[in-house]
Amino acid sequence: MPDAPLSDFHAVVPAGGAGTRLWPLSRAGHPKFLLDLTGSGRTLLQATVDRLLPLTGPGHVLVVTGARHAAAVAAQLPGLADGDVLAEPSPRDSMAAIGLAAAVLAHRHGPDVVLGSFAADHVITELPVFEATVREAVAVARTGKVVTVGIRATEPSTGFGYVRSGAPLDLADAPHAHHVAGFTEKPDAQTAAEYLATGEYSWNAGMFVVRVGVLLDHLAAQLPALHDGLRAIAEVWDTPERAARLADVWPGLTRIAIDHAIAEPVAAAGGMAVVPGAFGWDDVGDFASLGTLLDAGADGATLGEAAHVLRLASDGAVVATGGRTVTVVGVPDAVVVDTPDAVLVTTRAHAQDVKQAVDAWRERGRDDLL
């Protein structure tokens, strides 16, 4: 039998960002978390909530998203109550998003419930391992630590921050947990390789688990104005005063990532722990990553109807089609994305550069494409 949901555990799903490296599939008005990028029939957001519900049980998931996406999020997640989709008037980065959810949870349920924050646009496999990892993280969080899940690094990537593990925590309910010795920003290739060689470092994927009172206390100590603003909003979130309070307070909130606001200073003070995540994980950061995720063989990867795609001497080509036939001849590792109003042609090697195309169209005033 599956394990029962965790008591007093609430999942928070920040659903933001435009996914510009996946343009033109991902747009500001319909970003990647609202898309089915795996061909599973479920969007990334839906899949995220699907894997969290066995841990939380119904009614214990909050999604924090932009006001322009709130209706689409609610439509994709009909099981969520209206009050469980928290709409931000404008982006203020991850600390405001997660802090708002923490303040709302504290107001509704008190300071001792445990919050786990998990991005809406990641792909995770080996779900039993994921569930076991989160259960360990919740056990550690109940001791008052801020806990991060460290993703097992499979290569010396320069695209992620790194978490350095310290001494074991020696907690019976979390046998794999360690103290965090520190966080490191995205390193260069040589430094990343040196990190991997030590066996002490894992990727920081932005998964945090913590009691809401602990998180808010740390925020009050580090950024008191941001803490006070979020608390003021949360006090009226479930009342008719919400819109007025948001209009008054939200624009002045500090824009900062939770990594810088909480993780780095709390780790330096010895207040953080890490639980290693040995499950499959991908942040689907660009079309090269998507191609690897979808790839069924040397021929290449297809998002859409495979019968509409023909590759000739184009092994490894990534093709996304909405219905038109796409033919790739003599271009190995090509990337071709066909949408009704925009076509992208690049290569896997240049997948990270797609963001530059988005910036260039913006400079030309083509906001209709973004």
Side-chain angles (χ1 to χ4, degrees), residues 70-93:
V73 166
Q76 288 198 3
L77 300 172
L80 260 62
D82 290 345
D84 292 339
V85 178
L86 310 185
E88 303 174 297
S90 60
R92 309 305 299 160
D93 219 322

Side-chain angles (χ1 to χ4, degrees), residues 79-168:
L80 260 62
D82 290 345
D84 292 339
V85 178
L86 310 185
E88 303 174 297
S90 60
R92 309 305 299 160
D93 219 322
S94 60
M95 187 66 256
I98 298 167
L100 173 62
V104 169
L105 287 172
H107 190 71
R108 290 175 179 173
H109 305 289
D112 292 330
V113 298
V114 176
L115 169 158
S117 176
F118 305 92
D121 56 2
H122 294 175
V123 172
I124 288 176
T125 55
E126 301 167 81
L127 296 188
V129 180
F130 171 75
E131 289 187 19
T133 302
V134 175
R135 289 177 185 275
E136 283 200 36
V138 171
V140 178
R142 286 180 173 143
T143 71
K145 293 279 191 181
V146 179
V147 190
T148 187
V149 175
I151 301 299
R152 178 180 54 196
T154 56
E155 60 180 346
S157 173
T158 59
F160 304 120
Y162 285 73
V163 184
R164 185 180 181 187
S165 296

Side-chain angles (χ1 to χ4, degrees), residues 7-80:
S7 62
D8 292 329
F9 176 58
H10 295 253
V12 172
V13 180
T20 50
R21 289 183 177 86
L22 289 172
W23 180 89
L25 291 182
S26 180
R27 313 282 183 108
H30 199 72
K32 70 173 183 173
F33 62 83
L34 294 173
L35 305 176
D36 174 10
L37 293 179
T38 64
S40 68
R42 301 289 279 172
T43 67
L44 298 185
L45 171 65
Q46 289 171 324
T48 299
V49 174
D50 289 347
R51 63 176 168 264
L52 291 170
L53 282 173
L55 291 159
T56 65
H60 282 200
V61 175
L62 297 180
V63 178
V64 187
T65 193
R68 70 186 299 188
H69 303 130
V73 166
Q76 288 198 3
L77 300 172
L80 260 62

Side-chain angles (χ1 to χ4, degrees), residues 95-366:
M95 187 66 256
I98 298 167
L100 173 62
V104 169
L105 287 172
H107 190 71
R108 290 175 179 173
H109 305 289
D112 292 330
V113 298
V114 176
L115 169 158
S117 176
F118 305 92
D121 56 2
H122 294 175
V123 172
I124 288 176
T125 55
E126 301 167 81
L127 296 188
V129 180
F130 171 75
E131 289 187 19
T133 302
V134 175
R135 289 177 185 275
E136 283 200 36
V138 171
V140 178
R142 286 180 173 143
T143 71
K145 293 279 191 181
V146 179
V147 190
T148 187
V149 175
I151 301 299
R152 178 180 54 196
T154 56
E155 60 180 346
S157 173
T158 59
F160 304 120
Y162 285 73
V163 184
R164 185 180 181 187
S165 296
L169 207 59
D170 293 327
L171 191 65
D173 291 337
H176 302 98
H178 285 247
H179 293 278
V180 169
F183 282 82
T184 306
E185 289 296 310
K186 298 174 183 178
D188 58 35
Q190 180 179 341
T191 304
E194 291 169 356
Y195 286 169
L196 256 64
T198 69
E200 298 176 356
Y201 289 83
S202 53
W203 288 335
N204 172 22
M207 302 182 194
F208 294 101
V209 183
V210 59
R211 287 199 341 243
V212 295
V214 171
L215 179 65
L216 292 168
D217 286 348
H218 283 309
L219 185 58
Q222 300 296 330
L223 294 165
L226 178 55
H227 166 271
D228 294 349
L230 292 172
R231 286 281 208 177
I233 293 168
E235 285 176 0
V236 300
W237 189 266
D238 296 317
T239 78
E241 296 178 49
R242 179 202 303 174
R245 185 69 56 87
L246 275 171
D248 184 47
V249 176
W250 189 264
L253 296 181
T254 302
R255 187 168 187 162
I256 187 172
I258 191 172
D259 308 69
H260 301 311
I262 298 293
E264 291 169 1
V266 174
M272 283 206 69
V274 58
V275 176
F279 45 84
W281 173 85
D282 198 307
D283 71 342
V284 204
D286 58 29
F287 284 109
S289 174
L290 180 61
T292 300
L293 195 66
L294 294 172
D295 211 342
D299 185 43
T302 301
L303 186 63
E305 183 57 55
H308 293 159
V309 177
L310 177 64
R311 297 177 184 83
L312 298 174
S314 299
D315 288 353
V318 180
V319 178
T321 172
R324 289 197 297 183
T325 57
V326 175
T327 306
V328 187
V329 181
V331 194
D333 290 330
V335 173
V336 180
V337 182
D338 179 42
T339 71
D341 64 340
V343 175
L344 170 73
V345 180
T346 184
T347 63
R348 288 195 187 210
H350 289 89
Q352 283 281 311
D353 299 333
V354 172
K355 183 179 184 297
Q356 297 178 20
V358 176
D359 293 340
W361 283 119
R362 181 180 292 109
E363 289 174 5
R364 292 191 184 190
R366 291 298 306 273

